[in-house]
Amino acid sequence: MSEIMVEGLGTTLRRMIQEAALHASTLELTKHDVAYGCLDEDHSIYLVERGQLKAVTSTREGKECLLGIYTAGDVFGELCLLGRERLETVTAMTHTIVKRISSARIIAALANANLREEFVRYLTHRLFEQQQFITNLITADSEYRLATILVHLGRKIGTRDGHLLRIEERITQEELSAMVGTTRSRVGFFLKRFCQAGLVARTPDCFLVLNEPRLHNFLIGTPLTQAPAPLAHRQPVLR
């Protein structure tokens, strides 16, 4: 996944809301609350003020696919501009506050040159992300795709601690397998290999700790090697 940061649209929307140039309502969600659901006739675009949400869609067989995770400053829901029912469900992962803006107001506000430019950049970035994801799905093996997604999630929702990225919010292996495009058992197998090689670690207070340099080296072609045996009560594989 791409790591190009798209901060301009959220910043521009927030400024226009603060200046009363764009009307928005505030939606406060607790964990597991739904911002909008699949098949909802929701015609709003959302700006995340605080918290984390996830977008999920389901197959006909009922299997869920995690489409993305949104954090503060992110914009989501832009497909409402097509005028169709929602194809995904967006749910709060933590206590979350979002600004909800009607699509009609967004379209009217696009007369503002700055907003129009940022919106085009945002849509172009989203298109680039999807093209890159499809390319990886076709050309890269599932272990590589998992490493790519872990780095993406670590940079997006993790907390940086030197060269480590700490993901505190639990993401299930089912959700990871849906993002990677493989089975839950394969994700578990790859995570075990990553732990043994010192690319990731689990701690009592954190879902996953990522060693960003080692993951980067793996992504550019460095083979996995067995990390030294850990000492008691320490995580030397992450030093």
Side-chain angles (χ1 to χ4, degrees):
M1 290 190 179
S2 166
E3 291 302 332
I4 299 173
M5 298 302 294
V6 180
E7 299 178 349
L9 180 59
T11 301
T12 302
L13 288 176
R14 185 179 295 107
R15 175 178 53 79
M16 293 181 69
I17 292 170
Q18 291 173 344
E19 295 174 353
L22 188 62
H23 176 74
S25 59
T26 300
L27 184 63
E28 187 168 356
L29 304 168
T30 58
K31 188 173 182 178
H32 303 309
D33 282 352
V34 174
Y36 61 76
C38 182
L39 301 181
D40 282 357
E41 293 186 358
D42 174 70
H43 303 292
S44 299
I45 290 176
Y46 298 80
L47 168 65
V48 184
E49 290 279 295
R50 185 172 70 219
Q52 296 175 4
L53 306 98
K54 63 180 179 181
V56 176
T57 190
S58 299
T59 66
R60 292 180 179 178
E61 294 77 23
K63 182 179 179 181
E64 288 193 343
C65 176
L66 180 62
L67 299 176
I69 294 176
Y70 308 114
T71 58
D74 284 344
V75 176
F76 67 92
E78 69 278 359
L79 289 182
C80 72
L81 296 175
L82 294 174
R84 300 175 57 181
E85 296 173 335
R86 295 292 189 183
L87 300 177
E88 75 280 9
T89 297
V90 177
T91 307
M93 300 172 69
T94 64
H95 178 256
T96 301
I97 297 176
V98 299
K99 293 292 186 182
R100 181 167 52 193
I101 312 162
S102 74
S103 58
R105 292 182 183 274
I106 287 286
I107 291 172
L110 288 176
N112 180 294
N114 288 336
L115 178 61
R116 186 166 60 248
E117 180 179 351
E118 296 298 345
F119 201 75
V120 170
R121 287 181 179 175
Y122 168 80
L123 293 178
T124 303
H125 169 73
R126 293 282 288 155
L127 179 61
F128 175 77
E129 272 194 331
Q130 294 305 311
Q131 287 179 337
Q132 192 173 45
F133 176 77
I134 292 170
T135 299
N136 283 340
L137 194 61
I138 296 172
T139 63
D141 62 47
S142 50
E143 188 171 45
Y144 180 96
R145 296 199 304 270
L146 176 60
T148 301
I149 286 170
L150 289 177
V151 172
H152 172 77
L153 291 174
R155 290 173 179 171
K156 188 170 184 65
I157 66 173
T159 302
R160 185 169 292 280
D161 181 11
H163 65 281
L164 306 179
L165 294 168
R166 304 174 61 86
I167 300 178
E168 298 180 1
E169 186 67 28
R170 184 175 183 273
I171 301 171
T172 67
Q173 289 188 8
E174 287 83 357
E175 290 172 330
L176 286 174
S177 66
M179 295 183 76
V180 173
T182 188
T183 63
R184 179 185 178 278
S185 61
R186 293 295 286 170
V187 166
F189 174 74
F190 296 145
L191 284 175
K192 182 178 180 180
R193 275 170 51 85
F194 289 170
C195 285
Q196 291 172 342
L199 277 64
V200 306
R202 299 180 186 273
T203 64
D205 62 337
C206 195
F207 168 62
L208 271 182
V209 182
L210 312 180
N211 188 313
E212 188 177 21
R214 291 192 180 185
L215 279 166
H216 173 74
N217 288 340
F218 171 72
L219 291 173
I220 64 175
T222 303
L224 292 180
T225 57
Q226 184 79 25
L231 300 177
H233 308 298
R234 297 182 63 185
Q235 296 289 339
V237 295
L238 295 176
R239 289 183 303 197

